[in-house]
Amino acid sequence: MNRLRRIGLDRSPNDLQRISRIYNERAPTWDEREGRGENLVLGPAYRDRLARMLEGDVLEIGVGTGETLRRVQALGAPIASFTGIDVSTGMLAEASKYAESSPFPVTLRQMNAESLAAFSADTFDTVTASLVLCTVPDPVSALHEMARVVKPGGKIVLIEHVLAKNPIVGTAQKVLAPLQRRHMACNIDRPTDRMLRDLGFQVERDDSRLLGVVHLMVARPPGG
């Protein structure tokens, strides 16, 4: 556990404020700039595959501008309710544009992924996040909280970029990581796929693309 808790944790008490500030500033133009780039890298199929896996009462960690919310609405996914959290009020304001016309109840709240204390244990059928655990200062705590709030038999669905096993690609990620952390508070060299397994999550699906950098994972909480 100590080894896991050191992953990506060169944090300071002001990390969350810094992350919030970065994404507040970028929120109004995110979809036209960074979001478009993300979707070009992932491809629309990857985002849609995640959206089709969501069901029941859904919690999204890092709802951003509402990308996943828009997709589950368009695809008619079997959603009973959708709760989205984010540390950035700017991102939440963008996501709120897609809440009023939703065919299912939508709740958006400012919250830190590392502490979901506002939610009781066993609340959600599905917990999801897309390209978020790379930014959360303490991903281990965030994963523990995801496991706590998902119902027995529920699932956790993630899209993440991770440290590639290919040594050449992995080395390139490590070289670029400080620049990405400085500008986006994003750690592109976290081994999130291995972190899940080391924490005891039961990984039922792990599809990858882009030389093993991007993973779509479905997991059950430890002991589930």
Side-chain angles (χ1 to χ4, degrees), residues 8 24 26 39 41-42 44 59 63 74 83 90 95 112 145 149 174 176 182 185 204 207:
N24 283 343
R26 296 174 185 266
N39 286 331
V41 170
L42 294 177
L59 170 65
V63 67
T83 301
N112 171 14
E145 281 291 84
V149 301
K174 290 178 181 178
L176 293 171
R182 185 160 55 251
E204 297 182 345
D207 302 334

Side-chain angles (χ1 to χ4, degrees), residues 44-66:
Y46 234 52
R47 295 274 197 183
D48 286 346
R49 283 165 65 188
L50 176 139
R52 289 190 177 97
M53 294 178 187
L54 308 184
E55 57 187 349
D57 295 311
V58 175
L59 170 65
E60 182 172 27
I61 307 294
V63 67
T65 61

Side-chain angles (χ1 to χ4, degrees), residues 59-62 85 112-117 119-134 136 138-152 154-160 192 196 199 201 219-222:
L59 170 65
E60 182 172 27
I61 307 294
I85 70 160
N112 171 14
E114 300 167 10
S115 178
L116 305 177
F119 303 128
S120 300
D122 308 334
T123 297
F124 300 98
D125 298 290
T126 314
V127 179
T128 188
S130 296
L131 305 177
V132 169
L133 291 174
C134 53
V136 173
D138 186 348
V140 173
S141 291
L143 285 167
H144 281 310
E145 281 291 84
M146 290 181 187
R148 183 183 65 81
V149 301
V150 76
K151 295 177 182 178
K155 60 187 175 182
I156 296 167
V157 185
L158 305 171
I159 290 177
E160 287 295 336
T192 306
L196 275 170
L199 287 170
F201 284 79
R220 307 284 178 177

Side-chain angles (χ1 to χ4, degrees), residues 16-94:
L16 287 175
Q17 292 94 320
R18 176 174 174 265
I19 291 168
S20 180
R21 184 176 66 253
I22 288 171
Y23 288 91
N24 283 343
E25 292 173 353
R26 296 174 185 266
T29 59
W30 181 269
D31 289 339
E32 292 75 27
R33 299 175 62 180
E34 290 87 356
R36 181 174 296 176
E38 283 182 353
N39 286 331
L40 285 173
V41 170
L42 294 177
Y46 234 52
R47 295 274 197 183
D48 286 346
R49 283 165 65 188
L50 176 139
R52 289 190 177 97
M53 294 178 187
L54 308 184
E55 57 187 349
D57 295 311
V58 175
L59 170 65
E60 182 172 27
I61 307 294
V63 67
T65 61
E67 178 79 25
T68 300
L69 178 58
R70 296 195 296 273
R71 288 181 185 270
V72 294
Q73 290 171 344
L75 293 169
I79 306 297
S81 69
F82 186 98
T83 301
I85 70 160
D86 208 295
V87 296
S88 165
T89 55
M91 288 292 193
L92 290 168
E94 296 299 316

